[in-house]
Amino acid sequence: MSTTVAGAPLVQQRNLVTEIPGPRSVEKLARKRQFVADGVANTLPVFVEAAGGGVLRDADGNTLIDLGSGIAVTTVGNAAAEVVARVQEQVAAFTHTCFMVTPYDGYVDVAAALAELTPGDHATKSALFNSGAEAVENAVKIARVATGKDAVAVFDHAYHGRTNLTMAMTAKNMPYKNGFGPFAGEVYRAPMSYPFRETAGVKGEDAALRAIDQLEKQVGAQNLACLVIEPILGEGGFVVPADGFLPTLSTWCRENGVLFVADEIQSGFCRTGDWFACDHEGVVPDLITTAKGIAGGLPLAAVTGRAEVMDAVHAGGLGGTYGGNPVACAAALGAIEAMRTHDLPARARAVEALIRRRLEAIAADHPVIGDIRGRGAMMAIELARPGTLDPDAARAAAVAAYCHAHGVVVLTCGTWGNVFRFLPPLSISDDLLEDAFDVVAEAFAATA
């Protein structure tokens, strides 16, 4: 099977013709070191020249299986036909006017699609931005104006971005925060529901009440503008909170005049088997932030929320030169078309069944795998020394290195760097997934 990329076939098969990285990638890495700041690091040092379906082809002609999707961005694939067609048409018409100067239909069309797709049946409006961090920061701005309050609640293990405010909201110090302070104030952290590391018998509702108790005592609902949470943690380790955790928090927010903000930047747009992770328990956020999978690889983000909340901000208070760029909006409309046409929520559920089956088989032979979790095509395993909760980051690094050397792109994450996150594009074939997890199985055996 092959996928057409830039008019040429891209065979959907793992194939290594050199070691990883190959000689051409090594040459290109030397040039990267010359011109790109050292702070911009790479997980896998290969230079990609073509990508699509479920594979990446590098400068040396190696074809690697992609289990990362550019960190959950290329959900519809790297070159989905619907995205390519709309982008080409828009580029030929115009690339930019700035929506704040002279508007255009694409921006409004994306906002209308978000009103239809995001949770809830209330009147909804959106503002478009460039990145997930920018969306989160603007959600906080909107919440502060709408409530007249300043404080922001976030959770242990959270990741919300790299701007000054979102670094303050992010839990993990290295590499995201170290040396970059001082950070924005009025950000308060509450304990997360983390079933693998939870005290036995603590249900979702109990974990939520624990967090609420801390927030009431240390901050006070009367001071909280918003509570911001990832329905499934991203960088923090793909932690799926126990059922009841999110609904209990949402109810408390509603009863206490605190806006519930769902950060769906990594979990949104079909990734978890629903259009949004909040849909799993019927949680309806006041504000929802999206990015990553929204536009098939082009930079676009959004804050979507209750119309009266969004409209609290004065004219000119939201925006930015590139926010809602017309080409990115065209890509988003193409990506949403692809998601609908190919029923990608159903595809994500099928991917979950395959990955879970393979991971359970691997875990049966390797007790270092302490937990298998996730939803849809957002799956993870956490590694811990057998019989304990002690994180085993060294084993995670060794397994990842083996996978990379054998042509499978995998990503690690988690507060302790001991979690593998599996984020394949939903355009990937079952055959490629089976081959990829053959390599993952080999990696655990080879590093035992």
Side-chain angles (χ1 to χ4, degrees), residues 304-443:
T304 303
R306 298 183 185 278
E308 67 275 16
V309 174
M310 295 295 295
D311 285 345
V313 178
H314 54 275
L318 301 175
T321 302
Y322 294 107
N325 170 271
V327 180
C329 286
L333 295 170
I336 292 169
E337 177 189 355
M339 291 171 193
R340 285 173 160 151
T341 300
H342 304 293
D343 193 3
L344 293 194
R347 176 57 185 156
R349 295 190 293 272
V351 167
E352 176 185 348
L354 188 157
I355 293 178
R356 193 176 291 277
R357 169 176 56 81
R358 293 304 306 267
L359 291 177
E360 287 173 350
I362 296 169
D365 294 327
H366 299 282
V368 70
I369 298 175
D371 194 27
I372 299 170
R373 57 180 181 250
R375 291 198 195 112
M378 188 175 181
M379 297 294 294
I381 50 176
E382 180 163 358
L383 306 192
R385 293 178 179 86
T388 76
L389 294 178
D390 297 340
D392 195 343
R395 185 72 178 279
V399 171
Y402 183 99
C403 290
H404 294 164
H406 291 79
V408 177
V409 179
V410 295
L411 304 175
T412 58
C413 65
T415 298
W416 301 278
N418 65 322
V419 176
F420 281 93
R421 52 179 160 179
F422 301 108
L423 289 162
L426 295 178
S427 56
I428 197 170
S429 69
D430 286 356
D431 287 344
L432 276 176
L433 283 172
E434 296 283 9
D435 186 25
F437 282 93
D438 286 345
V439 174
V440 173
E442 293 168 6

Side-chain angles (χ1 to χ4, degrees), residues 22 42 48-49 53 73 104 143 163-164 169 253 283 333 429:
N42 306 112
V48 173
E49 294 193 341
V73 169
Y104 37 85
T163 61
N164 186 266
M169 297 169 68
C253 285
V283 173
L333 295 170
S429 69

Side-chain angles (χ1 to χ4, degrees), residues 239-274:
V239 176
V240 181
D243 284 352
F245 183 73
L246 295 175
T248 302
L249 290 175
S250 177
T251 298
W252 177 80
C253 285
R254 185 171 59 253
E255 293 175 349
N256 289 274
V258 179
L259 295 181
F260 184 93
V261 182
D263 180 345
E264 292 250 20
I265 287 160
Q266 190 156 173
S267 59
F269 288 100
C270 308
R271 175 57 59 181
T272 64
D274 289 296

Side-chain angles (χ1 to χ4, degrees), residues 11-94:
V11 177
Q12 298 295 294
Q13 181 179 349
R14 180 171 59 98
N15 183 42
L16 300 184
V17 295
T18 72
E19 64 181 2
I20 302 294
R24 288 196 64 208
S25 280
V26 170
E27 291 176 2
K28 291 174 181 291
L29 285 166
R31 187 165 181 263
K32 181 237 177 191
R33 284 192 292 271
Q34 181 180 358
F35 294 111
V36 179
D38 288 349
V40 182
N42 306 112
T43 297
L44 183 54
V46 298
F47 274 72
V48 173
E49 294 193 341
V55 299
L56 311 173
R57 190 177 68 219
D58 74 7
D60 292 283
N62 299 300
T63 305
L64 296 80
I65 301 175
D66 182 12
L67 297 185
S69 296
I71 318 183
V73 169
T74 56
T75 302
V76 298
N78 307 74
E82 296 88 345
V83 174
V84 171
R86 287 183 182 250
V87 166
Q88 288 176 336
E89 181 180 3
Q90 181 59 53
V91 166
F94 61 94

